Structures are given as structure tokens and as C-alpha cells.
Amino acid sequence: MRSLELTLRADTVGAAEAYRRICEFERYPELVDEVNAVVVHGREDGGPLLSDWEIFFRNGLLRWTEVDYFQSEQRRIVFEQTTGDFEVFRGSWGVTAAPGGCQVRFEATFDFGIPSLAGVLEPIATKVLKEGIALIVHQLLGEATVVGDPAIAAAVSARLRRRREPDPVLTA
């Protein structure tokens, strides 16, 4: 079983607005290539919802359904897989106010349930998940800085630069 944490700082939006945007899971496929689809079921004020996820991973798709508990007063989302490709997948999002903006924290614990491949798959999944979450937050909030993880910060900066570069075929 693997656990990960990722913290990002955003100076472009306050905590309440950041939380509202992060709750819009159905937008995530527009924001990063790794998220193929998110289908949200039963969004009701105050109650949990179910969401179906498809994520590109290695040479295929990871699929799961999760229950999402929105704790608006604390600007927190707690999730847990109910069915899917993981043996275990659960975690949380939290948004706190910070001077001039907000801080976003994502935590997750996961297990593919394949002990013989855990040493290979889990580090790759951790990197993919952290990069994807960092890109999602960056796109949702207009800009964000990864805190305390220079490797992920560098990877995300490189991906964002590539997105901004003009396509040489189109500019020739």
C-alpha cells in the first residue's frame, strides 16, 4: 500500500472559490490528458455523490467508482473507491486560506492488490497521480506552485511549457 501527499499554493484565488472549482470533477478531463472521463451521479447539496473515473495509466485505462463526501464548511472532500481496479483507493482534498490566496492539499492511499508488481507500479502511479493533480489544480486556479516536492514541480513546469509552445507545424 502506498500513500502520497501533495501541497500546492495559489495566489490567484481565495480558498472558498478554489474549493468550489476543485469540486467540479466533471471538468477534469478538459484539464489533463491523463483523465479520460469523469461521470458524476447524484450531485445534491450536502450529500455524498458517486463518481465514475477513467484514467490513462501506462498502456491502458484504470477505472473505478468512488463515493465523494463534501464537507463544505471545512472546504474538504473525502473520497473512497467503492468498485474498480484498485484494491484500495481513498483520500482527501483540503483547501485552506493563506495570505493572498490559498493552499490545496491532496492526500491518497492506494493499493493495486498485486504484491509482486507493487514495487514497479506504485512508484509510477504515485508520480502520475501527483503530476495530474498538480496540473488540475494549476488549470483550475489559473496558476499554482507545488510546495516541497521539487521533482513534481519541475515535471509540471516542463509540461506547462510544452503546452504553451506553438506547434511548429502550425507556425511554419
Side-chain angles (χ1 to χ4, degrees), residues 117-154:
L117 294 178
V120 174
L121 289 180
E122 289 178 0
I124 295 168
T126 297
K127 182 179 183 302
V128 168
L129 191 54
K130 282 183 165 187
E131 284 183 24
I133 293 299
L135 285 167
I136 286 167
V137 171
H138 186 89
Q139 300 284 70
L140 285 172
L141 304 186
E143 190 171 320
T145 303
V146 174
V147 177
D149 194 331
I152 295 300

Side-chain angles (χ1 to χ4, degrees), residues 57-94:
F57 180 68
R58 296 181 46 111
N59 295 323
L61 287 173
L62 281 175
R63 294 181 178 97
W64 71 91
T65 298
E66 66 184 44
V67 61
D68 303 293
Y69 299 94
F70 295 88
Q71 302 167 347
S72 300
E73 294 295 318
Q74 296 87 13
R75 292 186 299 269
R76 182 172 156 83
I77 305 164
V78 177
F79 62 89
E80 184 165 11
Q81 174 188 277
T82 58
T83 61
D85 291 336
F86 292 97
E87 180 81 14
V88 172
F89 184 53
R90 62 178 171 260
S92 65
W93 290 86

Side-chain angles (χ1 to χ4, degrees), residues 6-112:
L6 182 67
T7 301
L8 297 107
R9 163 94 184 163
D11 295 326
T12 55
V13 66
E17 179 63 16
Y19 175 76
R20 186 192 67 73
R21 292 179 190 180
I22 289 167
C23 289
E24 297 175 341
F25 296 153
E26 55 274 7
R27 289 191 55 209
Y28 290 16
E30 306 164 19
L31 305 174
V32 295
D33 295 336
E34 292 82 3
V35 180
N36 185 53
V38 179
V39 178
V40 173
H41 306 280
R43 187 179 294 270
E44 296 176 17
D45 290 337
L49 63 84
L50 291 177
S51 53
D52 299 322
W53 295 75
E54 284 187 356
I55 307 293
F56 292 110
F57 180 68
R58 296 181 46 111
N59 295 323
L61 287 173
L62 281 175
R63 294 181 178 97
W64 71 91
T65 298
E66 66 184 44
V67 61
D68 303 293
Y69 299 94
F70 295 88
Q71 302 167 347
S72 300
E73 294 295 318
Q74 296 87 13
R75 292 186 299 269
R76 182 172 156 83
I77 305 164
V78 177
F79 62 89
E80 184 165 11
Q81 174 188 277
T82 58
T83 61
D85 291 336
F86 292 97
E87 180 81 14
V88 172
F89 184 53
R90 62 178 171 260
S92 65
W93 290 86
V95 182
T96 56
C102 67
Q103 185 166 288
V104 177
R105 183 170 177 85
F106 178 84
E107 300 174 320
T109 299
F110 65 92
D111 187 343
F112 284 107

